[in-house]
Amino acid sequence: MSTPQTTRRSFYLFMINLLAGLVAVAAAIPTAVYLLLRPKSRDGANWIEVTDLSKLRVGEPEEIVYNRKRMDGWRRIEEKTSAWLVRTSETAVVAFNPACTHLGCAYHWESGSAQFECPCHGSIFSIDGKVTAGPAPRPLDRYPSKVEGGAVYINPESPSAAARSRARSAPSQESA
């Protein structure tokens, strides 16, 4: 019986295929890590102190501007943003996302008519965030909020899904 001899051509083909396989593995590992592993938040909790409770008056919405840090991929970004806070009692505060639920425009508080108004398309919201007029499809999105030690904290990572579902289940009052 004769054993197959390794020729120069078969040796080079083997080495080229081996090298191509190593390059593919070297490219696949970081790609898999990027796609499959999510970077961890360094802070743990995403609660941000935005103001003192004593600065808010019951029943009067106030737009609060604050700095927040967030992860954008693997970069940590610090940005200035805002939220609308409504003190509902001596110890409770509701925080609203500052974007209209119609097309994301910035709305404002009209103290004369006691309602939130979006100047772009005419959506109007009550002080509790419910739609009273206009094309907005749902109430204002809420941020989770809490009061601890006289300070107001919000979690602006994403509007509260629980608050949105509660607001959606409540019947909206349309004005004619």
Side-chain angles (χ1 to χ4, degrees), residues 5 7 10 15 18 26-28 36 44 51 64-65 79 86 91-92 100 111-113 133 137 141 154-155 157-158 170:
Q5 281 189 323
T7 63
S10 64
M15 290 307 289
L18 180 66
L36 301 176
T51 191
I64 302 295
V65 177
E79 61 189 1
V86 180
T91 59
C100 176
S111 56
S113 56
D141 292 331
I154 65 171
N155 186 344
E157 287 302 312
S158 65

Side-chain angles (χ1 to χ4, degrees), residues 49-56 64 85 87 93 147 149-152:
E49 182 179 349
V50 292
T51 191
D52 290 328
L53 185 62
S54 61
K55 293 181 181 177
L56 300 174
I64 302 295
L85 300 181
R87 186 172 179 178
V93 173
V147 177
V152 178

Side-chain angles (χ1 to χ4, degrees), residues 91-114:
T91 59
V93 173
V94 175
F96 293 108
N97 183 327
C100 176
T101 55
H102 177 232
L103 292 176
C105 305
Y107 58 85
H108 62 273
W109 175 253
E110 281 293 328
S111 56
S113 56

Side-chain angles (χ1 to χ4, degrees), residues 7-164:
T7 63
R8 186 180 297 170
R9 173 177 271 177
S10 64
F11 174 76
Y12 283 141
L13 283 175
F14 174 77
M15 290 307 289
I16 289 171
N17 288 331
L18 180 66
L19 185 61
L22 290 173
V23 168
V25 168
I29 290 173
T31 302
V33 168
Y34 176 79
L35 294 174
L36 301 176
L37 298 179
R38 184 175 178 205
K40 294 181 181 177
S41 175
R42 293 182 191 146
D43 296 337
N46 296 317
W47 292 98
I48 299 172
E49 182 179 349
V50 292
T51 191
D52 290 328
L53 185 62
S54 61
K55 293 181 181 177
L56 300 174
R57 289 181 279 200
V58 176
E60 290 187 34
E62 187 167 336
E63 186 173 23
I64 302 295
V65 177
Y66 63 94
N67 290 324
R68 77 171 180 175
K69 296 176 183 173
R70 68 179 179 89
M71 292 294 292
D72 184 18
W74 275 260
R75 284 184 347 167
R76 191 137 183 93
I77 296 174
E78 185 169 337
E79 61 189 1
K80 189 177 281 190
T81 188
S82 67
W84 280 95
L85 300 181
V86 180
R87 186 172 179 178
T88 56
S89 70
E90 292 302 317
T91 59
V93 173
V94 175
F96 293 108
N97 183 327
C100 176
T101 55
H102 177 232
L103 292 176
C105 305
Y107 58 85
H108 62 273
W109 175 253
E110 281 293 328
S111 56
S113 56
Q115 58 193 8
F116 291 109
E117 295 181 4
C118 179
C120 300
H121 303 100
S123 292
I124 298 174
F125 305 91
S126 63
I127 195 167
D128 60 353
K130 293 180 182 168
V131 179
T132 58
R138 65 180 193 276
L140 295 173
D141 292 331
R142 293 183 182 191
Y143 291 135
S145 61
K146 64 182 179 180
V147 177
E148 287 182 357
V152 178
Y153 294 85
I154 65 171
N155 186 344
E157 287 302 312
S158 65
S160 170
R164 278 193 307 219

